[in-house]
């Protein structure tokens, strides 16, 4: 059963009838957020939260900038969306994120009761929406999220690869100076 749910999620089949064009539109907005992180030399992860066809929360990775392990794109977007709605429950929202959420962000998504999560690319080393674990669809929790993966995957993955390629080159140059 879980494999069937996961496979449907990968193909973009959704119970709410969301279409590919809509998912791509909002993933492009998440990518814009990721570019803000990239410009700060942060790992380029971006997130938007959509309610009734409007973006109500935006966020991008700022861990190094803010010196905080909590400064993830999803956490920032959830905080902003909750303020906008006036409630911690984001029950009628969809979260779009360029990289598969970690355990902290997956937990926050479940706590916020977000019913649908759309992911650009997966994170095989730390992802908790199917790669390492799938915290978004644990049946024993009081809430699960529908999951769609691979939306604009090449663009999201390419940005991550380029960032880390540049980071490694920069570190190599710094090491050679010393």
């Amino acid at each position: 059963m879980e494999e069937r749910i996961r496979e449907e999620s990968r193909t973009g089949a959704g119970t709410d009838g969301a279409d590919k064009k809509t998912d791509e539109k909002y993933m492009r907005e998440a990518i814009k957020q990721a570019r803000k992180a990239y410009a700060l030399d942060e790992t380029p992860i971006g997130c938007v939260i959509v309610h009734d066809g409007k973006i109500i929360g935006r966020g991008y990775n700022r861990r190094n900038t803010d010196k905080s392990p909590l400064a993830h794109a999803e956490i920032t977007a959830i905080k902003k969306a909750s303020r906008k709605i006036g409630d911690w429950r984001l029950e009628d929202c969809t979260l779009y994120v360029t990289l598969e959420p970690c355990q902290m962000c997956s937990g926050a998504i479940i706590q916020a009761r977000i019913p649908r999560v759309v992911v650009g690319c997966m994170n095989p080393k730390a992802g908790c929406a199917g790669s390492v674990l799938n915290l978004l669809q644990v049946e024993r929790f009081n809430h699960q999220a529908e999951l769609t993966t691979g939306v604009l995957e090449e663009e999201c993955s390419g940005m991550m690869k380029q960032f880390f390629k540049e980071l490694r080159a920069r570190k190599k140059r710094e090491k050679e100076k010393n």
Side-chain angles (χ1 to χ4, degrees):
M1 173 75 171
E2 189 174 334
E3 279 306 312
R4 185 180 60 76
I5 291 169
R6 219 177 274 144
E7 190 56 40
E8 285 175 358
S9 298
R10 282 193 194 107
T11 63
T15 58
D16 66 355
D19 62 26
K20 183 178 176 181
K21 191 174 178 180
T22 300
D23 284 349
E24 288 179 357
K25 171 186 172 182
Y26 291 117
M27 186 59 70
R28 288 188 204 296
E29 293 297 321
I31 290 168
K32 286 180 186 176
Q33 295 299 303
R35 287 188 185 123
K36 291 179 182 181
Y38 202 124
L40 293 173
D41 284 332
E42 294 275 4
T43 305
I45 303 166
C47 178
V48 297
I49 298 176
V50 176
H51 179 261
D52 288 338
K54 293 185 177 119
I55 296 174
I56 61 166
R58 298 173 192 269
Y60 56 92
N61 187 36
R62 294 180 51 97
R63 288 190 309 177
N64 295 320
T65 303
D66 293 353
K67 309 288 187 256
S68 172
L70 306 176
H72 287 212
E74 300 95 322
I75 300 298
T76 301
I78 288 169
K79 284 181 184 179
K80 289 178 180 178
S82 293
R83 266 188 248 129
K84 181 83 173 173
I85 293 233
D87 195 351
W88 60 269
R89 292 175 197 87
L90 300 175
E91 294 170 327
D92 297 318
C93 297
T94 299
L95 182 143
Y96 293 84
V97 64
T98 58
L99 183 69
E100 179 182 5
C102 70
Q103 66 274 31
M104 174 181 71
C105 294
S106 293
I109 289 164
I110 295 302
Q111 289 298 319
R113 310 297 194 264
I114 297 171
R116 183 166 184 259
V117 176
V118 180
V119 175
C121 64
M122 301 303 277
N123 183 354
K125 294 184 179 181
C128 288
S131 289
V132 175
L133 296 170
N134 187 351
L135 295 177
L136 298 180
Q137 296 179 328
V138 174
E139 290 184 13
R140 293 184 64 194
F141 288 152
N142 62 335
H143 175 78
Q144 295 81 38
E146 176 190 333
L147 181 61
T148 303
T149 62
V151 175
L152 299 181
E153 182 175 14
E154 287 182 28
E155 192 170 344
C156 293
S157 177
M159 187 178 351
M160 293 293 287
K161 288 174 184 172
Q162 184 64 32
F163 173 80
F164 284 109
K165 180 180 176 183
E166 291 172 9
L167 181 65
R168 284 188 297 276
R170 190 167 53 246
K171 285 186 176 187
K172 184 179 178 182
R173 285 191 303 274
E174 288 170 7
K175 192 174 182 179
E176 288 171 355
K177 282 183 187 177
N178 298 329

